[in-house]
Amino acid sequence: AENLIRLGMPCRMVTVLGDDLHAATIREHCRSISLDLTDCGVAPGEKSSTYLCINDVSGDVMTAIADMAVCERITPDFLASRLDVLNQAAFVILDANIPAASAAFLADWCTAPLIADTVSIKKAERLSPCLWKLEAIKPNRPEAEMLTGVTIRGTDGVEDAGKVLLEAGVRHVFISLGSQGVYYADRSACGIQPCLPGRIVNTNGCGDAFLAAAALALYRGMDIAGAALLGQACSSICAEVESAVHPALDLKTLARRAGIRDLA
C-alpha cells in the first residue's frame, strides 16, 4: 500500500489492528503518507500484526518470525461490512494472511479486480478457493509448486506451473525466481524478466514493491511484460535501502530504473 501511495495511487487499507503501541505507530505512519485507514477495524485486547526478520550480510532474509493472529479477525462478515468500499476500488490487493474463507468471500462478492500475494508456502493454500477470480497472483518458486503441484527446478517447470494457474482462471501470473528473475504469463504472452542491476542492502519488502508496481502497470493498461519490468524495477529500488519501502520512490525514479521515458 505504501509503495502504491508513493507511486501516486490513492489507497485505502482494509484490515484489523490491535489496540497496542504498534497500532498507534502504524496509524501515525499511515497518516504521514496519506494512507487511508478509515475502514480498518480494531480488536480490543489483541496485538497488531508484527513481523521480525533477520538478514544475512548480503541483505537476504535468513529467518523471520511473524505474529499475524489478529488477521483471523478479517472474517467474511467483517469484509461484508466493507464490501461497498472494496467494490468501488480500481483493484483490490489481498494477501494470504487472511483466512481461506475470507479469500473465498472476496472471490464470490468483490467486483473489483483481485490481485493476490501468497505470503508463504504455508499460507498460499488459502488462496486456492479464489484462483478462478484472480486478476493476478505473485507466488515465489516453492509457493507456485504448492499451488500447482508442479516441480520447479531453476526455470525448468515454471512454464508448466504458470499454465496450471492460468487454467485455474488467473489472468496474469508472476512467479518469482529469485536471482533468476521473474516468470510472467497470461493468455497471450510469457517470458522471464531478469533482475535489474542495483545495490542490494535489504531484500525485505522487494516482493511487495514488485506487486505494487506490477498492479499499477496492469491498471494503466500495460501488457504483462511491461508489468513484470516495472515490478522488477520497483523491487530493485526497494533493495537499496534498509527499510521495507524506499522513502524516495516515485514514478520518475521508477521510470528511470525501468528505462522507460515517462510514467507520469
Side-chain angles (χ1 to χ4, degrees):
E2 181 172 349
N3 283 300
L4 283 168
I5 288 283
R6 294 188 181 281
L7 292 173
M9 189 78 179
C11 289
R12 300 174 79 122
M13 178 76 82
V14 178
T15 191
V16 174
L17 299 174
D19 59 359
D20 54 356
L21 179 61
H22 286 308
T25 302
I26 290 167
R27 290 184 184 280
E28 178 58 33
H29 180 69
C30 290
R31 275 194 293 269
S32 73
I33 62 171
S34 299
L35 176 56
D36 191 340
L37 295 183
T38 303
D39 301 294
C40 283
V42 177
E46 293 200 22
K47 295 176 291 183
S48 298
S49 52
T50 306
Y51 173 78
L52 172 68
C53 69
I54 298 174
N55 292 3
D56 61 20
V57 293
S58 63
D60 287 325
V61 176
M62 291 176 59
T63 188
I65 300 171
D67 180 359
M68 302 291 163
V70 73
C71 292
E72 295 299 314
R73 296 294 194 98
I74 307 175
T75 62
D77 285 344
F78 172 82
L79 292 173
S81 69
R82 274 78 173 171
L83 196 57
D84 287 346
V85 171
L86 294 169
N87 286 344
Q88 292 172 18
F91 56 86
V92 171
I93 296 180
L94 69 146
D95 71 39
N97 282 306
I98 68 174
S102 300
F105 174 86
L106 289 173
D108 288 337
W109 295 101
C110 183
T111 58
L114 294 176
I115 297 173
D117 191 321
T118 43
V119 176
S120 70
I121 301 173
K122 183 177 180 181
K123 294 179 178 179
E125 189 175 7
R126 299 179 184 181
L127 299 178
S128 295
C130 62
L131 291 177
W132 64 274
K133 179 66 178 290
L134 295 182
E135 184 68 24
I137 193 171
K138 187 202 70 64
N140 62 20
R141 187 184 285 115
E143 293 160 358
E145 289 182 324
M146 192 285 304
L147 284 170
T148 65
V150 176
T151 299
I152 304 172
R153 294 292 178 266
T155 59
D156 293 340
V158 69
E159 186 173 347
D160 291 334
K163 287 179 180 178
V164 171
L165 291 171
L166 291 173
E167 289 169 359
V170 181
R171 263 71 81 193
H172 301 89
V173 173
F174 303 97
I175 300 177
S176 174
L177 303 172
S179 62
Q180 293 177 294
V182 64
Y183 173 80
Y184 60 85
D186 62 12
R187 296 289 181 181
S188 60
C190 65
I192 293 179
Q193 169 60 51
C195 297
L196 300 185
R199 182 173 61 97
I200 298 177
V201 175
N202 174 21
T203 61
N204 186 45
C206 289
D208 296 332
F210 177 98
L211 192 60
L216 183 62
L218 294 176
Y219 167 70
R220 285 173 164 235
M222 295 179 69
D223 62 21
I224 192 166
L229 172 60
L230 280 196
Q232 288 290 65
C234 198
S235 180
S236 174
I237 293 167
C238 176
E240 294 183 341
V241 293
E242 291 184 356
S243 57
V245 179
H246 199 302
L249 177 66
D250 57 25
L251 283 175
K252 184 177 180 180
T253 303
L254 182 63
R256 185 165 57 245
R257 183 61 58 91
I260 297 174
R261 176 176 294 182
D262 188 20
L263 284 173

